Amino acid sequence: MSFLYLTSNCNIILFKDIQEVICIRALEDKILSEGLVLPGEILKVGSFLNQQIDTTLLMDMGSEIARLYKDSGITKVLTIESSGIAVAFAAGFKLGVPVVFAKKHASINLSDDVITSEVYSYTHQKTYTVVIGSEYLGPDDTVLIVDDFLAKGNAIKGLIEITNKAGAKLAGAAIAIEKGFQGGGDALRAQGIRVESLAIVDSMSDDSLTFRRQDQ
Ligand code: G4P
């Protein structure tokens, strides 16, 4: 394991909205300066996203997600507990809509009427059931799925299944950090699903990390 050094290729593209440039640069710089590459293709970002949260960066990410989806008629943001909740909250707050999070464990807070999906976690090598109370999502909803990480894409697929089972419309997904080299995001895009990731890591090792250039 080692700290990553600030070697980002400059991602400023003149025709991009300035808010997008600032947000993407801030996130990429944070990954480079504070991210740790762990065995098993894990990028540890506990200092600003997964344990301690950089609240300014978080709300900036929410603003950027809201900007990307402002014309999509979003009525609900949907995520999975636990680390997705912070990013989903920021996005939902900026879009002015509620956030629904799927639970991974049975809870007395759930009604009897639930919508479930089976999710296989590549990282944890196990399948778990995610569940929401059916009263929180329905045919009148247009859903934006938000998560902190996208690797193989199984969590997003589970949330898409929940959205479909609820009869809601899927607008797309927004991710803080996509590990592009694990292919989940591109597989979803190939199916015609809109996936917007604020930072896409295309390669990473103990001493270097590269981002995908996103010209949109
Ligand atoms: P997938 O959904 O894209 O297929 O990925 P996977 O199942 O492998 O991911 C399982 C968990 O690991 C998720 O959180 C996901 O957010 C997280 N994760 C995957 N890759 C990384 C990584 O490189 N760095 C970090 N920090 N997290 C990663 P989870 O287990 O559900 O935990 P949590 O949300 O409760 O924290």
Side-chain angles (χ1 to χ4, degrees):
M1 107 180 46
S2 68
F3 281 99
L4 298 162
Y5 296 102
L6 193 60
T7 55
S8 172
N9 55 331
C10 181
N11 224 5
I12 293 179
I13 298 162
L14 287 177
F15 54 81
K16 280 188 172 185
D17 185 289
I18 191 69
Q19 176 193 322
E20 180 184 8
V21 172
I22 291 168
C23 175
I24 288 173
R25 275 309 305 263
L27 177 58
E28 290 185 350
D29 287 351
K30 204 80 170 161
I31 293 168
L32 288 168
S33 60
E34 297 183 22
L36 275 172
V37 177
L38 300 180
E41 299 183 319
I42 296 296
L43 177 62
K44 185 178 178 203
V45 289
S47 67
F48 65 92
L49 191 58
N50 286 151
Q51 281 222 340
Q52 173 171 268
I53 294 173
D54 180 326
T55 52
T56 302
L57 179 61
L58 180 78
M59 297 314 285
D60 285 348
M61 290 194 285
S63 297
E64 175 56 11
I65 291 169
R67 187 190 69 78
L68 288 164
Y69 281 95
K70 66 179 187 310
D71 300 323
S72 300
I74 307 296
T75 63
K76 295 269 170 76
V77 167
L78 178 64
T79 190
I80 298 190
E81 66 176 354
S82 57
S83 303
I85 295 174
V87 185
F89 164 79
F93 180 79
K94 295 293 183 175
L95 283 162
V97 301
V99 175
V100 178
F101 60 94
K103 291 176 179 266
K104 290 178 183 162
H105 306 286
S107 162
I108 53 168
N109 289 326
L110 279 169
S111 59
D112 292 337
D113 195 5
V114 295
I115 305 172
T116 64
S117 177
E118 301 290 304
V119 174
Y120 175 72
S121 170
Y122 167 81
T123 307
H124 299 298
Q125 306 266 299
K126 67 172 189 181
T127 300
Y128 55 95
T129 304
V130 295
V131 53
I132 67 162
S134 58
E135 67 267 43
Y136 301 121
L137 216 54
D140 293 338
D141 284 316
T142 299
V143 173
L144 173 62
I145 292 171
V146 172
D147 211 349
D148 58 335
F149 265 90
L150 192 161
K152 299 277 185 183
N154 291 324
I156 303 299
K157 283 184 204 155
L159 293 174
I160 291 172
E161 187 182 3
I162 284 178
T163 303
N164 291 337
K165 284 182 175 175
K169 183 179 165 210
L170 177 70
I175 310 293
I177 304 172
E178 175 180 337
K179 292 190 289 184
F181 57 89
Q182 292 190 313
D186 289 335
L188 291 165
R189 292 182 187 100
Q191 291 171 34
I193 296 164
R194 182 179 178 192
V195 180
E196 303 280 0
S197 296
L198 302 183
I200 303 181
V201 177
D202 258 347
S203 70
M204 62 184 198
S205 65
D206 274 2
D207 52 10
S208 78
L209 185 149
T210 61
F211 294 107
R212 186 179 302 179
R213 203 171 173 118
Q214 301 186 72
D215 303 338
Q216 50 185 355

